Each structure stands twice: as C-alpha cells, then as structure tokens.
Amino acid sequence: MGHLVIAVDGPAGAGKSTVAKRLAKRLGLGFMDTGAMYRALTLKALRRGTKLEDAEALVALAHETAIDLVDEAGRPLKVLLDGEDVSDAIRTPEVTNNTFYIARTPGVRAVMVEWQRRMGEKQSLVGDGRDLGTVVFPNAAFKFYLDADFDVRCQRRIDELRAKGVAVDEAALKRDLAERDHADFTRKVGPLKKAEDAIIIDSTNMTIDEVVEALVQHIHKQK
Ligand code: C5P
C-alpha cells in the first residue's frame, strides 16, 4: 500500500488504543499511542516535582526528555521514558488526572507533534490520540473518529481496571472522565475535534473485533 498513516482519534475510553493496536497488527503497520507520550511526560513532571502550572518549565522538561514506544508483536506497547520502562507507571489515576497540564500547554504539544510526525515519516503506522487527524497528520490516508456513549466509556474503563486487579471508585472515575472530556474538548491548542474528513464510528454497541473489522472494511473499500 506504500507509505501509510492511519489516524484514530476520539474521547477517553472509546477503545482507541486497543483498536489502533489491533488494526496495526492486522495491516502489518507500526502503532503509536500518543496518549502514552503525554502520560510519560506527566509522570516525569510529577516525579521531578515540576510545577504543573509553569508552562515554561514543562516545555523545558519536554525538550530534555526522550520517549520511545517499543511495539513488539504479541506484547503490550512498551513505553520508555529516558530509557526506563514506564508502561505500567503511566496508567495510575494520579498520572491520568494530571495529563491535563501537559496536554493544555501549547509549547509541549509542539514538541509532541514534532516527535509524532517524525515517527510517522519513518514508518507506516496507525496512531491514536485526540488531534492526529486534525493537527499531527492532516494528510493521513485514513482518519477515524471513534466515539461511544459516556456511560459505556466509563464502564469500559472500570472493567479494564478491575481486570488488572485495581480497586475502582466508580463515582470518582465517572467524575474524572467527565473532567477529562471537558479538558479535551475545550483546550485552545489541539482540542479533541472530528476532522472534517474523518469516518465516525460509534462503538457504543460494538465489540472491539467489530470495530476493527469496520475500520478494515473502510480501508479496503477506499484502496
Ligand atoms: O489516550 P489517553 O487517555 O492515554 O491520553 C492521556 C491524556 O493525554 C488525555 O487525557 C489527553 O488529554 C492527552 N492527549 C492529548 N493529545 C493526544 C493524546 C492524548 O492531549 N494526541
């Protein structure tokens, strides 16, 4: 198919990462979880005690950070922060609830977008995030916007955490997800937005396999 970039955007809990990873495997492409990159930088800022309100400090931190995504067949994506495997450490509620500061800072987003574009130039890939179809890869061959009802997205997150043996405070999780939605939709730079040419998939009543299949069908139809 030649060099190919496929963008999968949508709100938290819509199933983007799982779908994008499976789609990448199916098509033999790389996989880029951009949320993991925002999370990794958040983790570094929290560990360092960097003031999260200090945009300049966050941008400086981004410039002195190396984030690598290692996508090995049959394994969960490995996220390396300055060489350290932080794949699990970036999934804690503390990190999740503080990504907002990193994500709203234009200078940090500029650095992230640059990294992501470089990865997209090096290899064909499926990327998932919030702004891939609108900002990072406006010329992506395929743009999908994966949505699902709020309650279903909450339930998926709850199930995901429980499956990992994590105790879940459901009310708090719902509140956090609503806050994250609000922050994602309203930030000035790189907000969550449907690209005009995105194919919208509502996964509320679909399984992961069905969503992957729907994406594959769209891709084959247009190729
Ligand atoms: O997708 P995930 O939930 O792992 O993303 C973590 C956070 O990173 C999100 O809350 C979102 O605000 C931010 N993010 C972003 N732009 C992206 C991907 C994620 O702002 N492209």
Side-chain angles (χ1 to χ4, degrees):
M1 287 203 263
H3 187 78
L4 186 63
V5 169
I6 298 174
V8 182
D9 291 308
K16 297 180 305 291
S17 292
T18 314
V19 165
K21 186 166 168 62
R22 291 218 199 153
L23 181 67
K25 188 175 173 211
R26 180 96 174 251
L27 301 175
L29 309 177
F31 166 54
M32 179 172 73
D33 177 351
T34 62
M37 301 167 80
Y38 286 89
R39 287 170 179 275
L41 192 61
T42 302
L43 177 66
K44 182 161 171 175
L46 289 171
R47 282 178 172 176
R48 285 254 184 121
T50 309
K51 275 218 187 74
L52 295 170
E53 280 89 8
D54 184 344
E56 255 176 58
L58 295 181
V59 175
L61 193 70
H63 280 292
E64 55 173 85
T65 299
I67 297 170
D68 292 296
L69 303 179
V70 184
D71 182 25
E72 289 165 355
R75 293 179 173 230
L77 185 76
K78 201 190 276 179
V79 183
L80 300 179
L81 172 64
D82 299 319
E84 178 196 343
D85 185 349
V86 294
S87 311
D88 292 327
I90 60 170
R91 304 285 166 195
T92 63
E94 194 198 4
V95 170
T96 303
N97 294 334
N98 283 295
T99 52
F100 155 74
Y101 296 98
I102 299 288
R104 75 170 178 183
T105 307
V108 172
R109 297 199 75 88
V111 174
M112 293 282 180
V113 168
E114 183 65 36
W115 286 341
Q116 293 159 9
R117 284 191 182 142
R118 237 182 283 147
M119 287 177 72
E121 279 162 16
K122 266 200 309 215
Q123 56 169 336
S124 287
L125 56 78
V126 183
D128 84 279
R130 306 292 189 285
D131 58 345
L132 300 196
T134 51
V135 177
V136 185
F137 302 118
N139 298 318
F142 295 95
K143 298 179 186 179
F144 294 100
Y145 186 94
L146 193 57
D147 213 343
D149 287 353
F150 179 75
D151 286 339
V152 168
R153 290 191 282 122
C154 286
Q155 195 56 50
R156 286 180 186 163
R157 271 286 139 93
I158 291 166
D159 294 346
E160 208 178 293
L161 291 168
R162 292 225 167 106
K164 283 191 209 157
V166 179
V168 185
D169 176 343
E170 295 195 16
L173 185 140
K174 286 186 181 176
R175 207 173 46 235
D176 291 348
L177 199 72
E179 274 174 18
R180 226 140 64 86
D181 272 3
H182 180 72
D184 276 338
F185 283 118
T186 59
R187 72 172 155 262
K188 292 202 178 74
V189 180
L192 173 58
K193 203 165 78 180
K194 294 174 184 128
E196 272 179 26
D197 47 350
I199 296 159
I200 298 162
I201 310 264
D202 184 341
S203 73
T204 303
N205 296 307
M206 293 168 85
T207 63
I208 294 286
D209 285 342
E210 287 168 346
V211 176
V212 174
E213 203 48 49
L215 267 54
V216 169
Q217 293 303 326
H218 275 290
I219 290 164
H220 285 159
K221 210 161 56 192
Q222 284 183 41
K223 277 277 146 187

